Coordinates of all heavy atoms in Angstrom, one line a residue:
H1 N 106.0 117.3 87.0 CA 107.1 117.2 86.1 C 107.8 115.8 86.4 O 108.9 115.8 87.1 CB 108.2 118.3 86.4 CG 107.5 119.6 86.3 ND1 107.4 120.3 85.2 CD2 107.0 120.4 87.3 CE1 106.8 121.5 85.5 NE2 106.6 121.6 86.8
P2 N 107.3 114.7 85.9 CA 107.9 113.4 86.2 C 109.3 113.2 85.7 O 110.1 112.5 86.3 CB 106.9 112.4 85.5 CG 106.2 113.2 84.5 CD 106.2 114.6 85.0
Q3 N 109.7 113.9 84.6 CA 111.1 113.6 84.1 C 112.1 114.6 84.6 O 113.2 114.6 84.2 CB 111.0 113.8 82.6 CG 110.2 112.7 81.9 CD 110.7 111.3 82.1 OE1 111.9 111.1 82.3 NE2 109.8 110.3 82.2
E4 N 111.7 115.5 85.5 CA 112.6 116.5 86.1 C 113.7 115.9 86.9 O 113.5 115.0 87.6 CB 111.8 117.4 87.0 CG 112.0 118.9 86.8 CD 111.0 119.7 87.6 OE1 110.5 119.2 88.6 OE2 110.9 120.9 87.3
N5 N 114.9 116.4 86.6 CA 116.1 115.9 87.4 C 116.7 117.1 88.1 O 117.0 118.1 87.5 CB 117.1 115.4 86.4 CG 118.3 114.8 87.0 OD1 119.0 115.6 87.7 ND2 118.6 113.6 86.8
V6 N 116.9 117.0 89.4 CA 117.3 118.1 90.2 C 118.7 118.6 89.8 O 119.0 119.8 89.8 CB 117.2 117.8 91.7 CG1 118.3 116.9 92.2 CG2 117.3 119.1 92.5
L7 N 119.6 117.6 89.5 CA 120.9 118.0 89.1 C 120.9 118.9 87.8 O 121.6 119.9 87.7 CB 121.8 116.8 88.9 CG 123.3 117.1 88.5 CD1 124.0 118.0 89.6 CD2 124.0 115.8 88.4
Q8 N 120.1 118.4 86.8 CA 120.0 119.2 85.6 C 119.5 120.6 85.8 O 119.9 121.6 85.2 CB 119.1 118.5 84.6 CG 119.8 117.2 84.0 CD 118.8 116.4 83.2 OE1 117.6 116.5 83.3 NE2 119.3 115.5 82.3
R9 N 118.5 120.7 86.7 CA 117.9 122.0 87.0 C 118.9 122.9 87.7 O 119.0 124.1 87.3 CB 116.7 121.8 87.9 CG 115.4 121.4 87.2 CD 114.2 121.5 88.1 NE 114.0 122.8 88.7 CZ 113.2 123.0 89.7 NH1 112.4 122.0 90.2 NH2 113.0 124.2 90.2
V10 N 119.7 122.4 88.6 CA 120.7 123.2 89.3 C 121.8 123.6 88.2 O 122.1 124.8 88.2 CB 121.4 122.4 90.4 CG1 122.6 123.1 90.9 CG2 120.4 122.2 91.6
L11 N 122.2 122.7 87.3 CA 123.2 123.1 86.3 C 122.7 124.2 85.4 O 123.4 124.9 84.8 CB 123.7 121.9 85.6 CG 124.5 120.9 86.4 CD1 124.8 119.6 85.6 CD2 125.8 121.6 86.9
Q12 N 121.3 124.3 85.2 CA 120.8 125.2 84.3 C 120.5 126.6 84.9 O 120.3 127.6 84.2 CB 119.4 124.7 83.7 CG 119.6 123.6 82.7 CD 118.3 122.9 82.4 OE1 117.3 123.2 82.9 NE2 118.4 121.9 81.4
L13 N 120.7 126.7 86.2 CA 120.5 128.0 86.9 C 121.6 128.9 86.4 O 122.8 128.5 86.3 CB 120.7 127.9 88.4 CG 119.5 127.2 89.2 CD1 119.9 127.0 90.6 CD2 118.3 128.1 89.1
P14 N 121.3 130.1 85.9 CA 122.3 131.0 85.4 C 123.5 131.2 86.3 O 124.6 131.2 85.8 CB 121.5 132.3 85.2 CG 120.1 131.9 85.0 CD 119.9 130.7 85.9
V15 N 123.3 131.3 87.6 CA 124.4 131.5 88.5 C 125.4 130.3 88.5 O 126.6 130.5 88.6 CB 123.9 131.9 89.9 CG1 123.3 130.6 90.6 CG2 125.1 132.4 90.8
V16 N 124.8 129.1 88.3 CA 125.7 127.9 88.3 C 126.3 127.8 86.9 O 127.5 127.5 86.8 CB 124.8 126.7 88.7 CG1 125.7 125.4 88.5 CG2 124.3 126.8 90.1
S17 N 125.5 127.9 85.9 CA 126.0 127.7 84.5 C 127.1 128.7 84.2 O 128.1 128.3 83.5 CB 124.9 127.7 83.5 OG 124.3 128.9 83.4
S18 N 126.9 129.9 84.6 CA 128.0 130.9 84.3 C 129.3 130.6 85.0 O 130.4 130.8 84.5 CB 127.5 132.4 84.5 OG 127.3 132.6 85.9
T19 N 129.1 130.1 86.3 CA 130.3 129.8 87.0 C 131.0 128.6 86.3 O 132.3 128.6 86.2 CB 130.0 129.4 88.5 OG1 129.3 130.5 89.1 CG2 131.2 129.0 89.3
C20 N 130.3 127.6 85.9 CA 130.9 126.4 85.2 C 131.5 126.8 83.9 O 132.6 126.3 83.6 CB 129.8 125.4 85.0 SG 129.2 124.6 86.4
E21 N 130.9 127.7 83.2 CA 131.5 128.2 81.9 C 132.9 128.9 82.2 O 133.8 128.7 81.5 CB 130.6 129.1 81.2 CG 129.4 128.4 80.5 CD 128.3 129.3 80.1 OE1 128.6 130.6 80.0 OE2 127.2 128.8 79.8
T22 N 132.9 129.7 83.2 CA 134.1 130.4 83.6 C 135.2 129.5 83.9 O 136.4 129.6 83.5 CB 133.9 131.4 84.7 OG1 132.9 132.3 84.3 CG2 135.1 132.2 85.1
L23 N 134.9 128.5 84.8 CA 135.9 127.5 85.2 C 136.4 126.7 84.0 O 137.5 126.4 83.9 CB 135.3 126.5 86.2 CG 135.0 127.2 87.6 CD1 134.3 126.2 88.5 CD2 136.3 127.6 88.3
Q24 N 135.4 126.3 83.1 CA 135.8 125.5 81.9 C 136.8 126.4 81.0 O 137.8 125.8 80.5 CB 134.6 125.2 81.1 CG 134.9 124.3 79.8 CD 135.5 123.0 80.1 OE1 135.2 122.3 81.1 NE2 136.5 122.7 79.3
R25 N 136.5 127.7 80.8 CA 137.4 128.5 80.0 C 138.8 128.6 80.7 O 139.8 128.5 80.0 CB 136.8 129.9 79.9 CG 135.7 130.0 78.8 CD 135.4 131.5 78.4 NE 135.0 132.3 79.5 CZ 133.7 132.4 79.9 NH1 132.8 131.7 79.3 NH2 133.4 133.1 81.0
K26 N 138.8 128.8 82.0 CA 140.1 128.9 82.7 C 140.9 127.6 82.6 O 142.1 127.6 82.3 CB 139.9 129.2 84.2 CG 139.5 130.7 84.3 CD 139.4 131.1 85.8 CE 138.8 132.5 85.8 NZ 139.2 133.3 86.7
Y27 N 140.2 126.4 82.7 CA 140.8 125.1 82.6 C 141.4 124.9 81.2 O 142.5 124.5 81.0 CB 139.8 124.0 82.9 CG 140.3 122.6 82.8 CD1 141.1 122.1 83.8 CD2 139.9 121.8 81.7 CE1 141.5 120.8 83.7 CE2 140.3 120.5 81.6 CZ 141.2 120.0 82.6 OH 141.6 118.7 82.5
S28 N 140.6 125.3 80.2 CA 141.0 125.1 78.8 C 142.2 126.0 78.5 O 143.2 125.6 77.8 CB 139.9 125.5 77.8 OG 138.9 124.5 78.0
S29 N 142.2 127.3 78.9 CA 143.3 128.2 78.6 C 144.5 127.8 79.4 O 145.6 127.9 78.8 CB 142.9 129.7 79.0 OG 142.8 129.8 80.4
T30 N 144.4 127.2 80.6 CA 145.6 126.7 81.3 C 146.2 125.6 80.6 O 147.4 125.5 80.4 CB 145.2 126.3 82.7 OG1 144.6 127.4 83.4 CG2 146.4 125.8 83.5
K31 N 145.3 124.7 80.1 CA 145.9 123.5 79.3 C 146.6 124.0 78.0 O 147.6 123.5 77.7 CB 144.7 122.6 78.9 CG 144.4 121.5 79.9 CD 143.2 120.7 79.5 CE 143.3 120.0 78.2 NZ 142.2 119.0 78.0
E32 N 146.0 125.0 77.4 CA 146.6 125.5 76.1 C 148.0 126.2 76.3 O 148.9 126.1 75.5 CB 145.7 126.4 75.4 CG 144.5 125.7 74.8 CD 143.4 126.7 74.3 OE1 143.7 127.9 74.2 OE2 142.3 126.2 74.0
S33 N 148.1 126.9 77.4 CA 149.3 127.7 77.6 C 150.4 127.0 78.4 O 151.5 127.5 78.4 CB 148.9 129.0 78.4 OG 148.3 128.8 79.6
H34 N 150.1 125.9 79.0 CA 151.2 125.1 79.7 C 151.2 123.7 79.2 O 150.4 122.9 79.7 CB 150.9 125.1 81.2 CG 150.9 126.5 81.8 ND1 149.9 127.4 81.6 CD2 151.8 127.1 82.7 CE1 150.1 128.5 82.3 NE2 151.3 128.4 82.9
P35 N 152.2 123.4 78.4 CA 152.2 122.0 77.8 C 152.3 120.9 78.9 O 151.7 119.9 78.7 CB 153.5 122.0 76.9 CG 153.8 123.5 76.7 CD 153.2 124.2 77.8
L36 N 153.1 121.1 79.9 CA 153.2 120.1 81.0 C 151.9 119.9 81.6 O 151.4 118.8 81.9 CB 154.3 120.5 82.0 CG 154.5 119.5 83.1 CD1 154.9 118.1 82.7 CD2 155.5 120.0 84.1
M37 N 151.2 121.0 81.9 CA 149.9 120.9 82.5 C 148.9 120.2 81.6 O 148.1 119.4 82.1 CB 149.4 122.4 82.8 CG 148.2 122.4 83.7 SD 148.7 121.8 85.4 CE 147.3 122.3 86.3
A38 N 149.0 120.4 80.3 CA 148.1 119.8 79.4 C 148.2 118.3 79.4 O 147.3 117.5 79.5 CB 148.4 120.3 77.9
S39 N 149.5 117.8 79.5 CA 149.7 116.3 79.5 C 149.2 115.7 80.8 O 148.6 114.7 80.9 CB 151.1 116.0 79.3 OG 152.0 116.5 80.3
V40 N 149.4 116.5 82.0 CA 148.9 116.0 83.3 C 147.3 115.9 83.2 O 146.7 115.0 83.7 CB 149.4 116.9 84.4 CG1 148.6 116.6 85.7 CG2 150.9 116.8 84.6
C41 N 146.7 117.0 82.7 CA 145.3 117.1 82.6 C 144.7 115.9 81.7 O 143.7 115.3 82.1 CB 144.8 118.4 82.0 SG 145.1 119.8 83.1
E42 N 145.4 115.6 80.6 CA 144.9 114.5 79.7 C 144.9 113.2 80.4 O 144.0 112.4 80.3 CB 145.7 114.5 78.4 CG 145.2 115.7 77.5 CD 146.2 115.9 76.4 OE1 147.1 115.0 76.1 OE2 146.1 117.0 75.8
V43 N 146.0 112.9 81.2 CA 146.1 111.7 81.9 C 145.0 111.6 83.0 O 144.3 110.6 83.1 CB 147.5 111.6 82.6 CG1 147.5 110.4 83.6 CG2 148.6 111.4 81.6
Y44 N 144.8 112.7 83.7 CA 143.7 112.8 84.7 C 142.4 112.5 84.0 O 141.6 111.8 84.6 CB 143.8 114.2 85.4 CG 142.6 114.4 86.2 CD1 142.4 113.8 87.5 CD2 141.6 115.3 85.8 CE1 141.3 114.1 88.3 CE2 140.4 115.5 86.6 CZ 140.3 114.9 87.8 OH 139.2 115.1 88.6
E45 N 142.1 113.2 82.9 CA 140.8 113.1 82.2 C 140.5 111.6 81.8 O 139.4 111.1 82.0 CB 140.7 114.0 81.0 CG 140.6 115.5 81.4 CD 140.8 116.4 80.3 OE1 141.0 116.0 79.1 OE2 140.9 117.7 80.5
R46 N 141.6 111.0 81.3 CA 141.4 109.6 80.9 C 141.2 108.7 82.1 O 140.3 107.8 82.0 CB 142.7 109.1 80.1 CG 142.7 109.5 78.6 CD 143.7 108.7 77.9 NE 145.0 108.8 78.4 CZ 145.9 109.7 78.0 NH1 145.6 110.7 77.2 NH2 147.1 109.7 78.5
G47 N 141.9 109.0 83.2 CA 141.7 108.2 84.4 C 140.3 108.4 84.9 O 139.6 107.4 85.4
V48 N 139.8 109.6 84.9 CA 138.4 109.8 85.4 C 137.4 109.1 84.6 O 136.4 108.5 85.1 CB 138.1 111.3 85.5 CG1 136.7 111.6 85.7 CG2 139.0 112.0 86.6
Q49 N 137.6 109.2 83.2 CA 136.6 108.5 82.3 C 136.6 107.0 82.6 O 135.5 106.4 82.7 CB 137.0 108.7 80.9 CG 136.7 110.1 80.4 CD 137.3 110.5 79.1 OE1 138.0 109.7 78.5 NE2 136.9 111.6 78.5
G50 N 137.8 106.4 82.8 CA 137.9 104.9 83.1 C 137.3 104.6 84.4 O 136.5 103.6 84.5
A51 N 137.6 105.4 85.4 CA 137.1 105.1 86.8 C 135.5 105.3 86.8 O 134.8 104.5 87.4 CB 137.7 106.1 87.8
G52 N 135.1 106.3 86.0 CA 133.6 106.6 86.0 C 132.9 105.4 85.4 O 131.8 105.0 85.8
A53 N 133.4 104.9 84.3 CA 132.8 103.8 83.6 C 132.8 102.5 84.5 O 131.8 101.8 84.6 CB 133.5 103.5 82.3
L54 N 133.9 102.3 85.2 CA 134.0 101.1 86.1 C 133.0 101.3 87.2 O 132.3 100.3 87.6 CB 135.4 101.0 86.6 CG 135.7 99.8 87.4 CD1 135.5 98.5 86.6 CD2 137.2 99.9 87.9
A55 N 132.9 102.5 87.8 CA 132.0 102.7 88.9 C 130.6 102.5 88.5 O 129.8 101.9 89.2 CB 132.2 104.1 89.5
M56 N 130.2 103.0 87.3 CA 128.8 102.9 86.8 C 128.5 101.4 86.6 O 127.4 100.9 86.9 CB 128.6 103.7 85.5 CG 128.4 105.2 85.8 SD 127.2 105.5 87.0 CE 125.7 104.9 86.3
W57 N 129.4 100.7 86.0 CA 129.2 99.2 85.8 C 129.0 98.5 87.1 O 128.1 97.7 87.3 CB 130.4 98.7 85.0 CG 130.3 97.2 84.8 CD1 129.5 96.6 83.8 CD2 131.0 96.1 85.5 NE1 129.7 95.2 83.9 CE2 130.5 94.9 84.9 CE3 131.9 96.1 86.6 CZ2 131.0 93.7 85.4 CZ3 132.3 94.9 87.0 CH2 131.9 93.7 86.4
G58 N 129.8 98.8 88.1 CA 129.7 98.2 89.4 C 128.5 98.6 90.2 O 127.9 97.9 91.0
M59 N 128.0 99.9 90.0 CA 126.9 100.4 90.7 C 125.5 100.1 90.1 O 124.5 100.3 90.7 CB 127.0 101.9 90.8 CG 128.1 102.4 91.8 SD 127.8 102.0 93.5 CE 126.4 103.0 93.8
E60 N 125.6 99.6 88.9 CA 124.3 99.5 88.1 C 123.2 98.6 88.9 O 122.1 99.1 89.0 CB 124.6 98.9 86.7 CG 123.3 99.0 85.8 CD 123.6 98.4 84.5 OE1 124.8 98.3 84.1 OE2 122.7 98.1 83.8
P61 N 123.6 97.5 89.4 CA 122.6 96.7 90.1 C 122.0 97.4 91.4 O 120.8 97.4 91.7 CB 123.3 95.4 90.6 CG 124.5 95.4 89.7 CD 124.9 96.8 89.3
V62 N 122.9 98.1 92.1 CA 122.5 98.9 93.3 C 121.5 100.0 92.8 O 120.5 100.2 93.5 CB 123.7 99.5 94.0 CG1 123.3 100.3 95.2 CG2 124.7 98.4 94.4
V63 N 121.9 100.7 91.8 CA 121.1 101.8 91.3 C 119.7 101.3 90.9 O 118.7 101.9 91.2 CB 121.8 102.5 90.1 CG1 120.8 103.5 89.4 CG2 123.0 103.3 90.6
R64 N 119.6 100.2 90.2 CA 118.3 99.6 89.8 C 117.5 99.3 91.1 O 116.3 99.6 91.1 CB 118.5 98.4 89.0 CG 118.3 98.7 87.5 CD 118.3 97.4 86.7 NE 119.7 97.1 86.2 CZ 120.3 96.0 86.5 NH1 119.7 95.0 87.1 NH2 121.5 95.8 86.1
R65 N 118.1 98.8 92.1 CA 117.3 98.4 93.3 C 116.9 99.7 94.0 O 115.8 99.7 94.7 CB 118.1 97.6 94.3 CG 118.1 96.1 93.9 CD 118.6 95.2 95.0 NE 120.0 95.6 95.4 CZ 121.1 95.0 95.0 NH1 121.0 94.0 94.1 NH2 122.2 95.3 95.4
L66 N 117.7 100.7 94.0 CA 117.4 102.0 94.8 C 116.6 103.0 93.9 O 116.3 104.1 94.4 CB 118.6 102.6 95.3 CG 119.4 101.8 96.3 CD1 120.7 102.5 96.7 CD2 118.5 101.6 97.6
E67 N 116.2 102.6 92.7 CA 115.6 103.6 91.8 C 114.4 104.3 92.4 O 114.2 105.5 92.3 CB 115.2 102.9 90.5 CG 115.3 103.9 89.3 CD 115.3 103.1 88.0 OE1 115.4 101.9 88.0 OE2 115.3 103.8 87.0
P68 N 113.5 103.5 93.1 CA 112.3 104.2 93.7 C 112.7 105.3 94.8 O 112.1 106.4 94.8 CB 111.5 103.1 94.4 CG 112.0 101.8 93.7 CD 113.4 102.1 93.3
Q69 N 113.7 104.9 95.6 CA 114.2 105.9 96.6 C 114.8 107.1 95.9 O 114.7 108.2 96.4 CB 115.2 105.2 97.5 CG 114.6 104.2 98.5 CD 114.5 102.8 97.9 OE1 114.5 102.6 96.7 NE2 114.4 101.8 98.8
F70 N 115.6 106.9 94.8 CA 116.2 108.0 94.1 C 115.1 108.9 93.6 O 115.2 110.2 93.6 CB 117.0 107.5 92.9 CG 118.4 106.9 93.3 CD1 118.9 105.9 92.6 CD2 119.0 107.4 94.5 CE1 120.2 105.4 93.0 CE2 120.2 106.9 94.9 CZ 120.8 105.8 94.1
A71 N 114.0 108.3 93.1 CA 112.9 109.1 92.5 C 112.3 110.0 93.6 O 112.0 111.2 93.3 CB 111.9 108.2 91.9
V72 N 112.1 109.4 94.8 CA 111.5 110.2 95.9 C 112.4 111.3 96.3 O 112.0 112.5 96.4 CB 111.2 109.3 97.1 CG1 110.8 110.1 98.3 CG2 110.1 108.3 96.7
A73 N 113.7 111.0 96.4 CA 114.7 112.0 96.8 C 114.8 113.1 95.7 O 114.8 114.3 96.1 CB 116.1 111.4 97.0
N74 N 114.7 112.8 94.5 CA 114.8 113.7 93.4 C 113.6 114.7 93.5 O 113.7 115.9 93.3 CB 114.9 113.0 92.0 CG 115.0 114.0 90.9 OD1 116.0 114.7 90.8 ND2 114.0 114.0 90.0
N75 N 112.4 114.1 93.7 CA 111.2 114.9 93.8 C 111.2 115.9 94.9 O 110.9 117.1 94.8 CB 109.9 114.0 93.9 CG 109.6 113.3 92.6 OD1 110.0 113.8 91.5 ND2 108.8 112.2 92.7
L76 N 111.7 115.4 96.1 CA 111.8 116.3 97.2 C 112.8 117.4 96.9 O 112.6 118.6 97.3 CB 112.3 115.5 98.5 CG 111.2 114.6 99.1 CD1 111.9 113.7 100.2 CD2 110.1 115.4 99.7
A77 N 114.0 117.0 96.3 CA 115.0 118.0 96.0 C 114.5 119.1 95.0 O 114.7 120.3 95.1 CB 116.2 117.4 95.5
C78 N 113.7 118.6 94.0 CA 113.1 119.6 93.0 C 112.1 120.5 93.7 O 112.1 121.7 93.4 CB 112.3 118.8 91.9 SG 113.4 118.1 90.7
R79 N 111.3 120.0 94.7 CA 110.4 120.9 95.4 C 111.2 121.9 96.2 O 110.9 123.1 96.3 CB 109.5 120.1 96.3 CG 108.3 119.6 95.5 CD 107.2 119.1 96.4 NE 107.3 117.6 96.3 CZ 107.0 116.8 97.2 NH1 106.5 117.2 98.4 NH2 107.1 115.5 97.1
G80 N 112.3 121.5 96.9 CA 113.2 122.4 97.6 C 113.8 123.4 96.7 O 113.9 124.6 97.1
L81 N 114.2 123.0 95.5 CA 114.8 124.0 94.6 C 113.7 125.0 94.1 O 114.0 126.2 94.0 CB 115.3 123.2 93.4 CG 116.1 124.0 92.4 CD1 117.3 124.8 93.0 CD2 116.7 123.1 91.3
D82 N 112.5 124.5 93.9 CA 111.4 125.5 93.6 C 111.3 126.6 94.6 O 111.2 127.7 94.3 CB 110.0 124.8 93.5 CG 109.9 123.8 92.3 OD1 110.6 124.1 91.3 OD2 109.0 122.9 92.3
H83 N 111.3 126.1 95.9 CA 111.2 127.1 97.0 C 112.4 128.0 97.0 O 112.2 129.2 97.2 CB 111.2 126.3 98.3 CG 111.0 127.1 99.5 ND1 109.8 127.8 99.9 CD2 111.9 127.4 100.5 CE1 110.0 128.4 101.0 NE2 111.2 128.2 101.4
L84 N 113.6 127.5 96.8 CA 114.8 128.4 96.8 C 114.8 129.4 95.7 O 115.1 130.6 95.9 CB 116.1 127.5 96.6 CG 116.7 126.9 97.8 CD1 117.9 126.0 97.5 CD2 117.1 128.0 98.8
E85 N 114.3 129.0 94.5 CA 114.2 129.9 93.3 C 113.2 131.0 93.6 O 113.4 132.1 93.2 CB 113.8 129.1 92.1 CG 115.0 128.3 91.5 CD 114.6 127.5 90.3 OE1 113.5 126.8 90.3 OE2 115.3 127.4 89.3
E86 N 112.1 130.7 94.3 CA 111.2 131.7 94.7 C 111.8 132.7 95.7 O 111.6 133.9 95.6 CB 110.0 131.0 95.4 CG 108.8 130.7 94.5 CD 107.7 130.0 95.3 OE1 107.4 130.5 96.5 OE2 107.1 129.1 94.8
K87 N 112.5 132.2 96.7 CA 113.0 133.0 97.8 C 114.3 133.8 97.4 O 114.6 134.8 98.0 CB 113.3 132.2 99.0 CG 112.0 131.5 99.6 CD 111.1 132.5 100.1 CE 109.8 131.8 100.7 NZ 108.7 132.8 100.9
I88 N 115.1 133.2 96.5 CA 116.4 133.9 96.1 C 116.4 134.1 94.6 O 116.9 133.4 93.8 CB 117.5 132.9 96.5 CG1 117.4 132.5 98.0 CG2 118.9 133.6 96.3 CD1 118.4 131.4 98.4
P89 N 115.8 135.3 94.2 CA 115.8 135.6 92.8 C 117.2 135.7 92.1 O 117.4 135.5 90.9 CB 115.1 137.0 92.7 CG 114.4 137.1 94.0 CD 115.2 136.3 95.0
A90 N 118.2 136.0 92.9 CA 119.6 136.1 92.4 C 120.1 134.8 91.7 O 121.0 134.9 90.9 CB 120.6 136.5 93.5
L91 N 119.5 133.7 92.0 CA 119.9 132.4 91.4 C 119.6 132.5 89.9 O 120.2 131.7 89.1 CB 119.1 131.2 92.0 CG 119.4 130.9 93.5 CD1 118.5 129.8 94.0 CD2 120.9 130.5 93.6
Q92 N 118.8 133.4 89.5 CA 118.4 133.5 88.0 C 119.4 134.4 87.2 O 119.2 134.6 86.1 CB 117.0 134.0 87.9 CG 115.9 133.0 88.5 CD 116.0 131.6 88.0 OE1 116.3 131.4 86.8 NE2 115.7 130.7 88.8
Y93 N 120.4 134.9 87.9 CA 121.3 135.8 87.2 C 122.7 135.2 87.2 O 123.1 134.5 88.1 CB 121.4 137.2 88.0 CG 120.1 137.9 88.0 CD1 119.3 137.9 89.1 CD2 119.6 138.6 86.9 CE1 118.1 138.6 89.2 CE2 118.4 139.2 86.9 CZ 117.6 139.2 88.0 OH 116.4 139.8 88.1
P94 N 123.5 135.5 86.1 CA 124.9 135.1 86.1 C 125.7 135.7 87.2 O 125.3 136.7 87.8 CB 125.4 135.6 84.7 CG 124.2 136.0 83.9 CD 123.1 136.3 84.9
V95 N 126.8 135.1 87.5 CA 127.6 135.5 88.6 C 128.0 137.0 88.5 O 128.0 137.7 89.5 CB 128.9 134.7 88.7 CG1 129.9 135.2 89.7 CG2 128.6 133.2 89.0
D96 N 128.3 137.5 87.3 CA 128.8 138.9 87.2 C 127.7 139.9 87.5 O 128.0 141.1 87.8 CB 129.4 139.2 85.9 CG 128.4 138.9 84.7 OD1 127.3 138.4 85.0 OD2 128.8 139.2 83.6
K97 N 126.4 139.5 87.6 CA 125.3 140.4 88.0 C 125.0 140.3 89.4 O 124.3 141.0 90.0 CB 124.1 140.1 87.1 CG 124.4 140.5 85.7 CD 123.1 140.4 84.8 CE 123.4 140.8 83.4 NZ 122.4 140.7 82.5

């Protein structure tokens, strides 16, 4: 699986994705029910987007140079995740199960 990405695989695990969905719903409902919280969250979200774009722009040359090492680390992590999925079947179920 040359295009496999360990982070995407982890996020697709039912136990992880259901937890993320629950957190997203709680975050959204908190924003909707508390106007002050909503404005604080929006400022934070804009700041994170700006910081993320700046960090990616600054890191791009480093990432290009380290790409082969990232590929090796990703492959090792994917193999480790294969092993975990084999040994821990509960990873395939949502949190409530």
Side-chain angles (χ1 to χ4, degrees):
H1 311 272
Q3 297 298 329
E4 229 174 15
N5 179 303
V6 73
L7 181 58
Q8 289 171 339
R9 279 189 57 192
V10 168
L11 291 173
Q12 288 170 357
L13 287 171
V15 70
V16 175
S17 62
S18 69
T19 301
C20 290
E21 286 167 14
T22 301
L23 290 173
Q24 180 62 41
R25 279 196 302 272
K26 287 186 189 214
Y27 178 76
S28 296
S29 69
T30 300
K31 271 176 61 173
E32 287 170 15
S33 59
H34 297 72
L36 178 60
M37 194 65 169
S39 63
V40 169
C41 289
E42 284 165 17
V43 168
Y44 169 75
E45 288 165 7
R46 278 198 302 274
V48 168
Q49 287 170 353
L54 186 61
M56 280 310 295
W57 178 77
M59 289 293 295
E60 191 179 340
V62 176
V63 169
R64 259 188 269 121
R65 278 196 300 266
L66 293 176
E67 215 163 351
Q69 288 89 335
F70 286 149
V72 169
N74 183 64
N75 287 339
L76 288 172
C78 282
R79 276 191 258 154
L81 187 55
D82 289 339
H83 183 71
L84 276 177
E85 286 177 316
E86 265 179 41
K87 299 291 179 194
I88 309 171
L91 292 174
Q92 299 303 325
Y93 298 102
V95 173
D96 58 354
K97 292 188 181 178

